[in-house]
Amino acid sequence: MSWLEATIAPSAREGRWLTRFVETGQRGGCVLCTLTRQDPNNPAVISVSAASAVKEGREGAEVTVQFFGEPCGPLTLSVVHFGEGPAVAEV
């Protein structure tokens, strides 16, 4: 199991979506994600989702946030990844 906080900058924007790969050191399993802070100028959030992923050989989670409009500021998420592998935690 791995827990960490991740910040997604608006530079990761694709239209009304912010997406970021978060390295957790875990593979497979279940990923839980919740929005903990965001820029007050951002539009309302439609959804927050996360799924186990491997990117360039690194194990972790792909986190995606969908907004009603285009996001203009950063947001912070809390991510818990229950999977297999050594834990990598950042605080």
Side-chain angles (χ1 to χ4, degrees):
M1 193 246 340
S2 179
W3 171 85
L4 56 94
E5 281 197 337
T7 299
I8 303 178
S11 60
R13 183 181 76 207
E14 295 178 23
R16 298 181 303 135
W17 301 80
L18 285 180
T19 302
R20 178 176 171 202
F21 175 80
V22 178
E23 188 171 356
T24 65
Q26 303 288 307
R27 64 182 168 279
C30 176
V31 182
L32 305 174
C33 182
T34 186
L35 179 64
T36 56
R37 285 186 300 275
Q38 76 159 323
D39 187 306
N41 296 318
N42 280 340
V45 172
I46 295 174
S47 66
V48 176
S49 62
S52 181
V54 176
K55 187 172 185 176
E56 299 173 358
R58 300 177 309 158
E59 298 165 339
E62 188 78 22
V63 177
T64 304
V65 182
Q66 182 183 13
F67 294 86
F68 277 104
E70 291 190 4
C72 56
L75 52 89
T76 303
L77 303 148
S78 180
V79 180
V80 179
H81 190 170
F82 298 95
E84 299 178 23
V88 175
E90 297 176 16
V91 178

